[in-house]
Amino acid sequence: MIGRLRGIVAETAEEDALIDVAGVGYVVRCGSRTLSRLPEIGGEAVLHVETQWGEQTGMKLYGFLSREERRAFVLLQSIQGVGPKAALAVLDVLPPAELAAAAAREDKAAIARAQGVGPKLAQRIATELKDKPITDGPVAAFHAQIGPARAPSVSGEAVVIHVETQWTEQAGMTLYGFLGRDERRAFLALKTIQGVGPKAALAVLDVLPPAELAGAVARGDQAAVSRANGVGPKLALRIVTELKDKPITDGPVAAFHASALPGREPAKPSATGEAV
């Protein structure tokens, strides 16, 4: 799933823009308001992207100049009768803060100004958006969720994410990210077990990091594994049983998982930490 693009504006059309990212061109559908605010051809743009997949249409990217616009686009589509085209049309006439204000006062007339949005659909939008967060701004402060917002990281801070890419006909391409190779390896090992999909594998790693998972497997602790959301006792027992012969980590807790050939000593790490 693509969530953000930073690249050069190569072309623009009535409904989309071609963004060149390191030589790869992405066709991104945008509302007329977003297209009018893009830099000139050759300028750099940052687009917040919503990726959608359809069996007939394949993958489509929808681009926005702010996270609030993308959030509003997603929320609008959660309403019955509102597809991508209608959601973009609403945001063309009402930016997120104005949409939040219109929803707060149930101003269906303002929403009905959007192309292809009739009075009944406009009323439904105003009613259903009333209790949903649209923006982080003061106009929509009444929408704020309980609890402090998470502080953003330092701008430009670099992180390394180990990624597992998966593809299905229904969902298209999905990327799963991990902060360590051990986490990615454990994720893959878990998914080889019948009944464990990506969601369950992530749930297990939420409660048991790889080294702890290896320890639980070593002692046959199905209770520890079943603490994961959606993992029952039977599945936990299967995980504990089947992971016993699979490498989870390179650490000492999982040394018994080493996959060395019979009669061959495990590879010793070099000074740089690489196996030789």
Side-chain angles (χ1 to χ4, degrees):
M1 181 181 295
I2 297 171
R4 183 175 178 268
L5 288 175
R6 179 177 182 175
I8 304 301
V9 179
E11 299 175 16
T12 58
E14 290 185 4
E15 296 183 342
D16 53 47
L18 180 65
I19 307 298
D20 185 324
V21 182
V24 179
Y26 293 86
V27 178
V28 186
R29 296 289 298 271
C30 303
S32 59
R33 189 167 164 275
T34 297
L35 288 169
S36 67
R37 293 160 60 205
L38 284 176
E40 297 291 331
I41 302 297
E44 186 180 71
V46 176
L47 288 176
H48 298 267
V49 173
E50 174 65 17
T51 305
Q52 296 189 356
W53 176 267
E55 290 186 7
Q56 296 181 340
T57 60
M59 183 170 66
K60 282 191 175 182
L61 307 180
Y62 296 89
F64 309 91
L65 293 177
S66 72
R67 286 180 297 178
E68 288 186 342
E69 289 176 346
R70 178 179 175 271
R71 178 193 294 177
F73 175 75
V74 173
L75 284 174
L76 281 163
Q77 287 186 88
S78 68
I79 299 169
Q80 184 180 359
V82 180
K85 189 173 181 179
L88 290 176
V90 170
L91 292 172
D92 278 344
V93 298
L94 290 172
E98 294 180 26
L99 177 59
R105 61 177 183 268
E106 296 191 47
D107 187 355
K108 67 176 182 179
I111 298 172
R113 284 164 34 212
Q115 186 176 0
V117 178
K120 288 185 178 180
L121 183 55
Q123 180 64 61
R124 190 183 305 143
I125 291 171
T127 302
E128 295 197 25
L129 284 188
K130 202 170 185 181
D131 299 320
K132 294 180 179 178
I134 300 176
T135 77
D136 296 322
V139 175
F142 62 95
H143 289 301
Q145 295 179 336
I146 297 174
R150 182 179 177 181
S153 63
V154 178
S155 177
E157 182 179 351
V159 294
V160 176
I161 300 292
H162 298 265
V163 174
E164 173 62 20
T165 306
Q166 296 189 2
W167 177 275
T168 62
E169 290 187 3
Q170 293 183 340
M173 182 173 65
T174 304
L175 305 182
Y176 298 92
F178 309 92
L179 292 178
R181 285 181 299 179
D182 280 355
E183 290 179 348
R184 179 176 175 273
R185 177 189 291 178
F187 175 77
L188 291 174
L190 283 161
K191 285 185 66 269
T192 64
I193 299 169
Q194 184 181 359
V196 180
K199 188 175 180 180
L202 291 174
V204 170
L205 291 173
D206 278 344
V207 298
L208 291 172
E212 294 181 24
L213 176 60
V217 169
R219 62 179 180 269
D221 189 355
Q222 73 180 84
V225 178
S226 65
R227 282 165 33 214
N229 190 24
V231 176
K234 288 185 178 179
L235 183 55
L237 179 57
R238 189 183 306 145
I239 290 172
V240 167
T241 302
E242 295 194 23
L243 281 188
K244 261 189 175 179
D245 299 320
K246 293 180 181 178
I248 301 176
T249 77
D250 294 323
V253 176
F256 64 95
H257 289 300
S259 55
L261 294 172
R264 178 179 171 183
E265 301 231 298
K268 296 180 180 179
S270 67
T272 59
E274 296 180 352
V276 295

